[in-house]
Amino acid sequence: MKVNQISIIYIFKATVYVLLALIVVLSSCEPKEIDQDKDLEIENDSTIYLSKVFEYVYAPGQHASVATPSDTINIIGNPAKHIGWLYLGGFGGYVIAGFSEDIPNVDGYDFEVFALKGASPEPAVVYVMKDENGDNLPNDTWYELKGSQFAESIRDFELTYYKATSDSSDIVWRDVSGNEGVLHSGYGSAYTSGWWWQYTLTNEIKFKGTRLPDAYENNPVNGAAHWTVPENRFEWGYAENNSGKDYDTSKGSNLFDISNAVDEAGNFIHLDNIRFIKIQSAVFQQAGWLNEISPEIRGAAGLRKKR
């Protein structure tokens, strides 16, 4: 991405977020909980889309007030037929979903993950699972899909967020190494108390996953903050990454190869197919007025036709 495009893109995204927030406020529909027992209806075409969401958890972030469980409909079926998306929030936020049938592992790319088209990088790590026991549930083994920053990432990073003690205070965090700090809002609000998702009913929440390097660097211009994505920071292997060589500009999707699956030790493992994916926000950074780096996902699809 060219540096001078970033501010324009974020202004566009901010405008879209405001419009979406107004739609949510004006809507009289109550949020629907995820139906764990019923597949959602998908289009009757030859593409293998996501057909069911099993779990969705938003991590503290600036879109907490507009993110709802019912947004999971926006990743089911053909994303071209949806006008919305699914917010994942700050580091750790995730969604677990299943395809309508197995995605085969063949030569080259096997499936794609759609995000906000044209948005600047807010990388998410993708995990895959095979339905080994054949029960149509994501209860087997997760494997991370290795990306270009694998060697620079922190695997099994653990982060706990603590709910703000009042409306005029901030969310506190502590990681597995004992480092701690506060989430500060760089734009839109004085405090981050409003970043706590209303569907998180506890006063603390812990996330575990791969942490990627920071997505942005601040290179001030005339004394003003100027956030840019370092060149070649995320070359391939992540969702919502339009800087990637695997990015399809026409569809706003990143392409993934199941052959990049690795086990807990980082060793490649062969999977002849997969049925489930987990998409998780993987950058723990607050880049000034950009606030937290938080992906927005619009679905996933296999690159081969149904059998």
Side-chain angles (χ1 to χ4, degrees):
M1 172 184 290
K2 295 180 180 178
V3 170
N4 60 8
Q5 292 179 325
I6 293 177
S7 296
I8 296 174
I9 290 172
Y10 267 93
I11 291 172
F12 169 77
K13 288 182 69 176
T15 302
V16 173
Y17 295 149
V18 169
L19 291 174
L20 181 62
L22 288 174
I23 292 173
V24 172
V25 170
L26 293 174
S27 174
S28 60
C29 297
E30 292 296 325
K32 297 179 180 179
E33 296 296 334
I34 299 172
D35 187 341
Q36 302 285 351
D37 302 313
K38 181 179 179 181
D39 288 341
L40 296 175
E41 182 178 353
I42 62 173
E43 292 78 2
N44 183 25
D45 64 25
S46 60
T47 301
I48 304 173
Y49 294 113
L50 294 177
S51 62
K52 186 172 184 178
V53 172
F54 295 90
E55 190 173 357
Y56 166 54
V57 181
Y58 179 88
Q62 61 190 308
H63 308 302
S65 64
V66 294
T68 71
S70 61
D71 293 336
T72 54
I73 190 66
N74 293 320
I75 69 169
I76 297 299
N78 186 349
K81 296 189 177 183
H82 296 296
I83 61 172
W85 49 82
L86 184 68
Y87 296 101
L88 296 186
F91 174 84
Y94 66 89
V95 62
I96 295 174
F99 289 99
S100 58
E101 61 181 71
D102 291 342
I103 302 294
N105 181 5
V106 298
D107 290 339
Y109 295 120
D110 302 304
F111 67 94
E112 59 189 330
V113 174
F114 301 83
L116 275 182
K117 191 174 182 180
S120 52
E122 296 187 282
V125 167
V126 177
Y127 302 84
V128 295
M129 178 185 290
K130 182 176 179 177
D131 188 15
E132 296 180 79
N133 59 19
D135 66 355
N136 295 316
L137 295 173
N139 53 12
D140 292 297
T141 304
W142 285 113
Y143 298 100
E144 180 180 342
L145 290 185
K146 184 176 182 178
S148 61
Q149 285 290 339
F150 185 79
E152 306 302 322
S153 62
I154 303 173
R155 303 188 77 203
D156 296 325
F157 180 71
E158 292 185 21
L159 185 72
T160 303
Y161 297 96
Y162 300 89
K163 186 177 182 179
T165 56
S166 69
D167 290 342
S168 58
S169 60
D170 295 312
I171 293 170
V172 175
W173 60 265
R174 182 177 295 111
D175 69 21
V176 67
S177 299
N179 300 308
E180 58 184 23
V182 174
L183 298 186
H184 292 293
S185 176
Y187 176 80
S189 60
Y191 304 99
T192 56
S193 54
W195 291 16
W196 196 260
W197 200 36
Q198 62 177 311
Y199 301 97
T200 301
L201 303 181
T202 56
N203 289 328
E204 63 181 70
I205 185 169
K206 179 184 291 186
F207 293 95
K208 180 178 180 180
T210 292
R211 178 182 176 179
L212 297 175
D214 287 351
Y216 291 82
E217 292 179 353
N218 186 15
N219 300 294
V221 175
N222 297 324
H226 185 65
W227 294 91
T228 61
V229 180
E231 187 176 1
N232 301 323
R233 175 57 55 88
F234 302 107
E235 294 184 316
W236 55 272
Y238 307 106
E240 197 175 337
N241 176 31
N242 73 351
S243 292
K245 298 174 183 178
D246 54 15
Y247 185 70
D248 185 324
T249 57
S250 64
K251 294 187 287 185
S253 65
N254 288 97
L255 308 176
F256 293 86
D257 185 350
I258 296 172
S259 295
N260 287 324
V262 296
D263 62 17
E264 280 291 326
N267 300 315
F268 285 105
I269 182 165
H270 176 71
L271 299 172
D272 55 357
N273 62 69
I274 59 107
R275 174 62 69 89
F276 311 103
I277 61 173
K278 176 181 180 180
I279 307 170
Q280 185 169 37
S281 184
V283 174
F284 182 47
Q285 180 187 19
Q286 288 170 291
W289 66 273
L290 302 179
N291 283 318
E292 87 288 347
I293 307 305
S294 53
E296 293 87 31
I297 304 302
R298 295 177 47 247
L303 296 176
R304 274 78 191 175
K305 300 302 181 181
K306 293 179 180 178
R307 295 187 296 274

